[in-house]
Amino acid sequence: MSDFQSEQALDAENFQAIAELAYQESGLRLLAEKKSMIQSRLRKRLKVLGYSDFSRYARHVCSDAGREERRYMISALTTNVSHFFREIHHFEYLKAEIAPALISALNAGKRVRIWSAGCSNGQEAYSLAMLFSELFPTVFESDFRILATDIDPNVVAFARTAEYPERLINGVPSVMLSKYFRKASGSSEVLYTVDSKIARLVTFRELNLLSDWPMRQQFDVIFCRNVVIYFDSETQDTLWPRFHSVLKPDGLLFLGHSERISQPEQTGFQNCGPTTYRSAGITRNTPGY
Ligand SMILES: C[S@@+](CC[C@H](N)C(=O)[O-])C[C@H]1O[C@@H](n2cnc3c(N)ncnc32)[C@H](O)[C@@H]1O
């Protein structure tokens, strides 16, 4: 039996060191009850590095020399589940309540920017690009762009390829599938490639939401869904004013189905729909909420 196969367990001391590091680096809270899942995810990193035990891994990843490995450790620990047009009510709200004004702005030659923060494999960002193409067929000639960011270098690299195996294509309506994807047989599975015009609307970048944000322009809409659920409430509360500062007045912030801004009015937001927040500014007459 090799050293690796002996599968030494992640003991409490190393778990603690890794949990503290993950929290500092990314805001992720590693719960003790999830230890066996965390252990099995990290074993893959031990294997890549050729380490036989978690003590050596923990020492390395916590050291200055472990800087690069910290990115891959966070990648191994994050949950990247996503699908196209996830939580469809947000896309419907966008279409009904804000897209008409954004399209008028684009028609008037103005800039429109959307941010998919915590974009995972890119399905959310490409869904937004397809939605705008449907609503405004000349979007490709307008000043419309989507920024899509994630802390995980692996998902960012995957999203940039714009190629999805069949199992990740869930949620795309069949009309859009034939209109916006090219189907090709890969070596082992069928691949769907996003149309290049749609893909060019989206820019993918690696970005840790807890670090500095280099963006200088404000956004009309931010999707940050199913990301802050992995953070504790203190970390979440540091993000709301930051999102507010990069949203245009009256801009929209969409969160995931189990995420909430605890006291929206204190951070300049107004709840205007299920997990939907409007940055305080020009008051709209939005019926219904
Ligand atoms: C469950 S996915 C959500 C994907 C998409 N927004 C959706 O709702 O389908 C959560 C994503 O958040 C990313 N994430 C976790 N912590 C992050 C951080 N500190 N900064 C940026 N992204 C982070 C993960 O890498 C992961 O891809």
Side-chain angles (χ1 to χ4, degrees), residues 6-276:
S6 67
E7 300 213 329
Q8 196 212 45
L10 175 57
D11 65 18
E13 190 186 336
N14 290 313
F15 177 80
Q16 185 64 23
I18 287 171
E20 276 171 23
L21 181 66
Y23 182 73
Q24 278 163 22
E25 288 283 312
S26 67
L28 293 178
R29 276 175 310 137
L30 302 188
L31 304 175
E33 58 263 33
K34 299 264 173 75
K35 202 178 96 175
S36 66
M37 181 192 80
I38 292 160
Q39 179 176 273
S40 103
R41 289 181 174 190
L42 289 181
R43 276 213 176 102
K44 295 182 185 131
R45 294 306 310 158
L46 265 69
K47 194 172 182 181
V48 169
L49 296 171
Y51 290 172
S52 57
D53 60 77
F54 278 102
S55 306
R56 190 162 166 213
Y57 182 76
R59 268 200 312 280
H60 171 63
V61 81
C62 294
S63 72
D64 288 348
R67 192 186 173 85
E68 183 68 3
E69 176 54 25
R70 288 200 276 282
R71 295 169 65 224
Y72 292 101
M73 179 188 87
I74 299 302
S75 171
L77 294 173
T78 49
T79 299
N80 303 123
V81 176
S82 187
H83 61 80
F84 286 93
F85 294 99
R86 184 180 195 180
E87 298 179 43
I88 188 72
H89 62 98
H90 285 155
F91 294 89
E92 284 161 357
Y93 186 92
L94 187 59
K95 181 176 166 183
E97 301 295 338
I98 195 167
L102 297 182
I103 289 168
S104 299
L106 290 170
N107 265 325
K110 294 193 181 137
R111 171 163 61 196
V112 168
R113 294 290 181 267
I114 300 185
W115 181 16
S116 166
C119 63
S120 189
N121 287 320
Q123 292 100 321
E124 185 173 87
Y126 290 131
S127 300
L128 288 161
M130 290 188 279
L131 175 73
F132 273 84
S133 166
E134 288 295 291
L135 297 175
F136 184 49
T138 55
V139 71
F140 310 103
E141 286 102 60
S142 71
D143 195 355
F144 173 85
R145 298 284 178 278
I146 298 164
L147 172 69
T149 63
D150 201 285
I151 193 173
D152 182 343
N154 292 325
V155 292
V156 171
F158 177 92
R160 279 196 188 118
T161 67
E163 276 186 356
Y164 292 87
E166 199 152 27
R167 72 194 143 79
L168 293 184
I169 216 75
N170 292 350
V172 185
S174 54
V175 176
M176 287 198 187
L177 197 58
S178 42
K179 189 168 170 188
Y180 295 119
F181 289 82
R182 191 167 34 81
K183 190 175 172 184
S185 294
S187 49
S188 57
E189 53 189 342
V190 175
L191 286 177
Y192 289 85
T193 306
V194 179
D195 174 78
S196 58
K197 275 165 93 181
I198 293 288
R200 277 199 295 274
L201 295 177
V202 187
T203 302
F204 289 98
R205 292 272 182 273
E206 209 178 310
L207 179 74
N208 181 351
L209 285 173
L210 301 195
S211 62
D212 289 341
W213 299 349
M215 299 82 84
R216 294 287 160 257
Q217 335 163 346
Q218 288 190 308
F219 294 92
D220 297 272
V221 176
I222 299 175
F223 274 58
C224 183
R225 306 184 309 160
N226 309 299
V227 180
V228 304
I229 190 175
Y230 302 105
F231 303 160
D232 60 17
S233 56
E234 289 81 46
T235 307
Q236 292 184 10
D237 288 343
T238 64
L239 286 175
W240 312 134
R242 298 183 73 198
F243 280 129
H244 187 265
S245 71
V246 297
L247 258 182
K248 288 184 189 166
D250 231 15
L252 289 182
L253 171 65
F254 294 99
L255 302 180
H257 59 95
S258 52
E259 299 163 333
R260 302 281 179 283
I261 301 182
S262 48
Q263 291 178 302
E265 53 298 328
Q266 286 190 8
T267 35
F269 285 104
Q270 194 190 347
N271 187 207
C272 57
T275 55
T276 305

